Amino acid sequence: MSTPKPVKTFRFVALSIVVLLMTSGQSVWAKPNKNQNAERAEAAYQALQTYFYQPDTKLYSENSPHAGNNQYSYVWPYAGTMQSTVALANIPAVGEKYKTDIQNRLDGLAAYWNDTKTPAGYDSYVRAPLGGGGDIFYDDNDWIAIELIKIYRITGDIAALDRAKQIFELQVSGWDTDASHACPGGVFWTQASWSKDRNTVSNAPAAQIGLYLYEISKDTYYLDWAKKMYNWVNDCMLAPNGLYWDHIDLNGNINKTQWSYNQGTMIGASVLLYKATGEKSYLNKAVSIADAALKFYGSSRLYTQPIIFNSIFFENLLLLDDMNKKSKYKDYIQNYADEVWTTLRNPQTGVIEIDPNRSTELLEQAALVTIHAQLAADTKK
């Protein structure tokens, strides 16, 4: 029997993070240490490899100290390790030495691939002989495809690009074609029978994949689908405050949680649409979302968001920064990175400890690496 994937919940209490930061003896906004980003990213990665990595299989533990029945992580945390490794490989001064690690991530990723389904995709858990597999989640596959495209750009690995194209076909197959549903259209969150939600997180990143593939291939098939996915999110998930809700069910009930990564992926998709079409309205939309997000999350609510969500949000803010040269975005990210580093990281182990009463999740440590690595890779003044 396959291993079911648990509902994506986050066990830490959001307010406790803010309290930890407020009472830690540090200011909520520490003095930026942008010159230390590469050093910090590498140190956090070393801790990731020391406490989570299982070199015999090239897989990772879900948490450290290890807790639970699964020997290996689910695929979404594994995708987080891909993101962190690729981010390190993009740092100009040190990136070359992480190319072997990129290949290790690709080798480990193969344990999740399910080619018994059409279209094929990555299961939520490792398949036989290492595990029992699991349901396919469209957003999990989105994150993987985005990293595969980055890998192609770094290494020229055509197989990685081809796999990203396969994953995009998986996203297209997940489009809701029943016009009787509330807000018809949209890519479902999962193939699992227990959920019929269509989410911002299964559509906005899929649009990004399509736009990256269009940028590479100039095939309008990818651009057309990307616009379709992007427009669905704007039509069905956009809130009055200019940010995006989480998901909608078939009856039109909306979960109005506003996660930071949903804002990030719509910022990124808007930037990529501007690059693809030259239409300034898309760039203006990206700026509008970013400014609304900075106002909403501010210097305290940001800490109520999972760090992995913030790493995705920040990646897309930096993408906008590349186009718009707004230093406030990078400063905002740097302040968060400094605060987390100085208040939530155990200096003895190098592992982030968001909640002292539980194990650290793989996603959290990987995000610590990613945030600092992406800041280090961004060489603009």
Side-chain angles (χ1 to χ4, degrees):
M1 187 172 71
S2 65
T3 304
K5 180 174 181 179
V7 176
K8 294 177 182 175
T9 58
F10 302 91
R11 293 172 289 170
F12 60 84
V13 179
L15 289 177
S16 68
I17 301 173
V18 180
V19 171
L20 278 169
L21 293 166
M22 294 288 191
T23 60
S24 64
Q26 303 287 332
S27 64
V28 174
W29 293 118
K31 184 179 180 180
N33 286 298
K34 61 184 179 181
N35 294 330
Q36 299 179 21
N37 285 318
E39 178 184 338
R40 288 177 174 182
E42 290 197 275
Y45 182 74
Q46 182 59 50
L48 180 77
Q49 297 300 92
T50 299
Y51 293 99
F52 296 87
Y53 189 49
Q54 300 187 35
D56 55 328
T57 58
K58 301 183 181 179
L59 296 171
Y60 287 82
S61 299
E62 183 81 4
N63 43 46
S64 179
H66 181 72
N69 296 323
N70 290 337
Q71 183 174 353
Y72 307 110
S73 76
Y74 286 99
V75 76
W76 186 38
Y78 191 87
T81 71
M82 293 180 63
Q83 184 191 27
S84 65
T85 308
V86 170
L88 282 165
N90 275 318
I91 299 175
V94 302
E96 187 67 27
K97 66 184 179 181
Y98 291 100
K99 289 186 178 179
T100 298
D101 294 57
I102 286 178
Q103 186 57 53
N104 288 338
R105 296 301 89 78
L106 292 172
D107 292 345
L109 182 64
Y112 299 90
W113 182 248
N114 184 349
D115 58 4
T116 69
K117 293 187 176 181
T118 305
Y122 289 100
D123 276 4
S124 59
Y125 193 66
V126 291
R127 294 177 54 75
L130 297 176
D135 296 312
I136 286 179
F137 285 73
Y138 293 103
D139 61 328
D140 290 350
N141 281 267
D142 283 335
W143 307 128
I144 293 167
I146 288 171
E147 298 310 315
L148 290 171
I149 292 168
K150 294 178 193 174
I151 289 169
Y152 163 73
R153 287 177 167 166
I154 293 170
T155 68
D157 187 342
I158 295 295
L161 179 62
D162 289 343
R163 181 56 53 87
K165 291 178 179 178
Q166 283 182 278
I167 293 174
F168 190 75
E169 293 311 309
L170 174 69
Q171 309 308 315
V172 170
S173 76
W175 186 263
D176 178 20
T177 59
D178 190 336
S180 69
H181 293 158
C183 224
V187 178
F188 286 103
W189 180 43
T190 176
Q191 293 181 354
S193 60
W194 46 262
S195 174
K196 296 299 180 185
D197 296 332
R198 294 150 297 160
N199 292 45
T200 299
V201 76
S202 52
N203 285 273
Q208 288 184 292
I209 298 166
L211 290 162
Y212 283 130
L213 292 175
Y214 173 71
E215 193 174 72
I216 293 167
S217 69
K218 301 305 179 186
D219 186 339
T220 56
Y221 168 83
Y222 296 115
L223 177 61
D224 291 345
W225 264 109
K227 286 181 176 179
K228 192 172 182 179
M229 295 162 176
Y230 176 85
N231 289 337
W232 181 87
V233 177
N234 277 308
D235 290 343
C236 299
M237 292 287 99
L238 182 60
N241 66 349
L243 300 179
Y244 295 90
W245 292 317
D246 190 62
H247 65 263
I248 185 171
D249 68 18
L250 300 183
N251 296 317
N253 300 304
I254 296 175
N255 181 307
K256 295 186 177 181
T257 307
Q258 294 186 322
W259 296 114
S260 59
Y261 70 164
N262 284 333
Q263 321 318 318
T265 52
M266 283 301 284
I267 291 168
S270 298
V271 171
L272 293 173
L273 275 165
Y274 168 67
K275 291 177 69 177
T277 66
E279 295 179 24
K280 190 69 178 291
S281 61
Y282 288 121
L283 183 59
N284 292 340
K285 181 67 172 177
V287 172
S288 175
I289 302 166
D291 288 349
L294 265 60
K295 179 180 178 181
F296 181 77
Y297 296 113
S299 60
S300 58
R301 188 178 281 154
L302 185 64
Y303 292 93
T304 71
Q305 301 291 296
I307 186 173
I308 181 60
F309 285 17
N310 287 341
S311 74
I312 295 166
F313 174 43
F314 295 156
E315 177 176 342
N316 286 284
L317 277 179
L318 289 172
L319 185 64
L320 174 58
D321 189 60
D322 285 340
M323 302 299 298
N324 211 45
K325 310 304 179 187
K326 293 286 187 181
S327 62
K328 65 180 178 181
Y329 303 140
K330 190 169 183 180
D331 291 346
Y332 185 72
I333 300 166
Q334 186 71 63
N335 284 330
Y336 176 91
D338 292 341
E339 198 65 43
V340 168
W341 184 268
T342 56
T343 60
L344 297 180
R345 175 182 167 272
N346 183 322
Q348 278 72 49
T349 64
V351 173
I352 189 171
E353 295 178 355
I354 290 178
D355 184 341
N357 297 313
R358 65 163 173 84
S359 297
T360 296
E361 296 178 5
L362 177 61
L363 272 171
E364 294 165 343
Q365 188 67 22
L368 182 68
V369 179
T370 298
I371 291 169
H372 286 91
Q374 289 180 342
L375 282 167
D378 190 300
T379 57
K380 298 185 307 303
K381 299 295 184 184

